[in-house]
Amino acid sequence: MSSTAIRRTYGAVSALVLAFILLPLVVIVWVSFFANRILAFPASGYTLDWYARALATDSFRDGFVTSVETALFATAASLLIGIPASLGLVRGRFPGRDAIQTLLLAPMVVPGIVGGAALFIAYIEVEARLDLQIAGTLGGLLVAHTLIALPWTIRLVTASLASADRAIEEAAASLGASPLTVLRRVTLPAIRPGIVAAALFSFVISFIDLEKSIFLVGPGRTTLQIALVNYLEWSLDGTVAAVAAVQILIVGAALLISDRYARLSQVF
Amino acid sequence: MSTVALRSLVKRYGNVNAVDDITLDVAEGQLVALLGPSGCGKTTTLRMIGGFVEASAGSILIGGTDVTRLPPARRNIGFGFQSYALFPHMSVAQNVAFGLEMRRLPRAEIAQRVNQALDRVRLRAMADRLPKHLSGGQQQRVSLARALVIEPSLLLLDEPLSNLDAQLRGEMKLEIRQIQKAMGITTIFVTHDQDEALSIADRIVVMRSGRIEQDGTPESVFAAPRSRFVAEFMGVTNLLPGTFEASGCFRLTNGAAIRISDQAGAPERESVLAIRPERIRIARAGATPGPDDLPAEIEAATYRGLTVEYRLRTGSGLHLTARQPTPATGGPTMLEPGACIHIGVPTDACLLIPA
Ligand SMILES: Nc1ncnc2c1ncn2[C@@H]1O[C@H](COP(=O)(O)OP(=O)(O)OP(=O)(O)O)[C@@H](O)[C@H]1O
Ligand SMILES: [Mg+2]
């Protein structure tokens, strides 16, 4: 085969795979405008009603607010913990450093439902010892989501720290900057793209989490994902598609923005 | 404006000594070039003086004060990094101003000194650009301005001219020299380019595998290399092992003899005869050769603009290189490979080096 033929074949296969991945998303967005009473093809007409219905549904509205609040908290907390931890991991020399970095890959290979169950059991154990309510409380949910976001934050921030030129910190020091000034004026600004990407990615990871949250939400407090699952138990109409379409929009935007700051493909 | 003293300085990485027992005294206002091949420990030495690398043993004194354990921020050293190390998120002017801000100078004075420093490196017009929008040579000059603007008591430069074109390199060399003399800043300048070292330094310290091989003025290091290594580094391409004989002859290992003056070199001791390629005299076919001249054949000729380099083979099978001016610089027409000639070596062009 000539090299152009290879390139064409490669392009065609890539396009097919991409279409396969994007198809469900496109279909969801499409059917969210269908006028049909139950989700089905073909469309009997087009409408924006399902979006109005979604907005009017309490569980979706509350779920959305809870999800956004939780994700914001998880983002802030994971940055607050993750940035110093990354500095320690990249700059420090201590036993177990490599082991910790490998362990941080765990959330990417352990199924979410296993992680959720593990967290739940851990909460119950702590509750039993400390005589404290954790599972089902807002605190428990926030801690869990921080834990969900943290490995991703650390991976993104350590990656950008590792690729930052160490010599700029030395230059600042030799120009008279104290270690704290070096951190504030040189190190952190230099890795700002990584931090922005980590923040957006943390937000997304927390926002879309279902498997872990399902163990940890309490009565009257559901995240948007759980509200969706609950709703699906009773009805299969365009409201679900409308909610999903909104989510796709939010998550897609966040990922596109964070990719502008740090090529996500280089981190995972 | 301080003296620098290194006392038995050592840096170990694992079981390798990157810097291996260096003792060096630099006088106030002196410009010392650390010269040596890649990996010989120049950067490591400089980084220990700058305080970025902890010495494994030995001590460093600046202006008589022991700074071995002092953090970089308290050494008042201007450091020009091999990788420039500009702050990527700051403009050129902000980069240069950083050290002055750390010294809490008044705003107006900072602005004025930054402009002055940028003028010196001819980058005033680029003051508001980010480093990533500068060429390598421009970045190098910013890093130089940033190191100079704080008027350090000691200036350490790690290959500050490596990325400049020939013309700019010449200009910057003069500029560094001029600023350094005007301000009287003691300077240590790392380079692997002998030409650069010879033309800028008051003193050259040749390093090899973490040790000092030779230390002296440019003239002395160039004219009297004390080892084969330094001779090679200084562009002496003809290094012939053999024995000096009492008769004033140097007996090469292949049996041929070259007449040298009765100068230095312990008789009957194995040594190396060093001859600069420029000192080999060529007598062309037709010209009368001198009494001690050797017949030779040109094997290859390499044109280098100012000079032409000939690879020669003598009748006794010895390989030598000779260098002559080209017609462009007033020399004779160039010889073709295969030409048969005679070569002569003036007795004062022969230097004996311990084997
Ligand atoms: N952090 C380090 N860890 C281990 N070995 C090192 C480290 N830094 C330098 N070395 C080794 O020490 C030796 C000296 O390195 P150095 O950077 O001082 O050389 P240099 O003379 O500046 O070379 P160049 O001209 O290539 O810049 C080299 O063999 C290098 O591999
Ligand atoms: Mg170096």
Side-chain angles (χ1 to χ4, degrees), chain B residues 38-39 41-44 82 158-159 190 192:
Chain B
S38 185
K42 308 180 295 287
T43 297
T44 307
Q82 196 167 5
D158 198 352
E159 311 214 9
V190 161
H192 56 243

Side-chain angles (χ1 to χ4, degrees), chain B residues 72-329:
Chain B
R74 309 226 344 248
R75 297 190 184 195
N76 194 33
I77 288 175
F79 203 105
F81 289 82
Q82 196 167 5
S83 62
Y84 324 140
L86 300 181
F87 308 129
H89 55 289
M90 295 187 204
S91 71
V92 167
Q94 286 168 333
N95 262 278
V96 178
F98 189 87
L100 301 175
E101 284 168 15
M102 293 301 120
R103 284 162 177 72
R104 305 196 191 292
L105 296 184
R107 228 168 241 282
E109 187 183 343
I110 291 180
Q112 184 236 328
R113 277 171 68 173
V114 167
N115 283 338
Q116 196 185 341
L118 288 178
D119 277 338
R120 274 194 187 133
V121 295
R122 320 203 201 313
L123 284 176
R124 181 79 171 267
M126 312 264 172
D128 296 322
R129 289 214 198 164
L130 284 178
K132 67 178 169 205
H133 296 136
L134 298 180
S135 73
Q138 290 166 339
Q139 293 182 29
Q140 204 155 34
R141 284 183 281 155
V142 177
S143 113
L144 190 59
R146 188 178 66 178
L148 277 171
V149 77
I150 59 170
E151 296 181 359
S153 49
L154 173 62
L155 183 62
L156 305 177
L157 300 173
D158 198 352
E159 311 214 9
L161 307 176
S162 58
N163 245 322
L164 307 182
D165 62 54
Q167 185 183 345
L168 203 51
R169 177 188 306 231
E171 278 179 36
M172 292 313 296
K173 208 155 62 179
L174 278 178
E175 192 68 32
I176 292 178
R177 186 66 177 150
Q178 198 184 324
I179 296 169
Q180 187 264 338
K181 279 283 161 261
M183 294 166 65
I185 307 178
T186 312
T187 302
I188 302 179
F189 180 109
V190 161
T191 176
H192 56 243
D193 179 348
Q194 49 116 346
D195 218 41
E196 206 168 282
L198 288 169
S199 58
I200 198 172
D202 296 313
R203 175 176 167 196
I204 293 180
V205 173
V206 185
M207 286 184 64
R208 176 193 193 181
S209 326
R211 289 171 168 273
I212 294 180
E213 183 86 358
Q214 189 166 350
D215 175 359
T217 60
E219 295 82 2
S220 73
V221 174
F222 187 79
R226 280 204 301 266
S227 68
R228 194 186 168 113
F229 176 84
V230 177
E232 275 174 351
F233 219 83
M234 288 295 145
V236 182
T237 44
N238 300 306
L239 294 158
L240 311 169
T243 318
F244 181 69
E245 291 179 347
S247 57
C249 266
F250 189 79
R251 178 75 54 193
L252 301 174
T253 38
N254 75 347
I258 292 181
R259 173 160 299 283
I260 64 177
S261 62
D262 313 321
Q263 45 153 323
E268 312 287 343
R269 184 90 68 69
E270 292 208 355
S271 44
V272 173
L273 179 64
I275 308 163
R276 286 199 168 275
E278 295 83 359
R279 298 298 302 274
I280 291 184
R281 208 165 21 74
I282 294 181
R284 303 183 169 221
T288 350
D292 290 324
D293 282 7
L294 308 166
E297 186 188 327
I298 305 261
E299 284 192 330
T302 311
Y303 182 69
R304 303 197 143 183
L306 296 179
T307 56
V308 54
E309 197 171 280
Y310 295 119
R311 226 179 108 69
L312 310 168
R313 209 169 82 96
T314 66
S316 57
L318 210 58
H319 286 283
L320 294 172
T321 49
R323 207 180 265 202
Q324 285 206 319
T326 54
T329 47

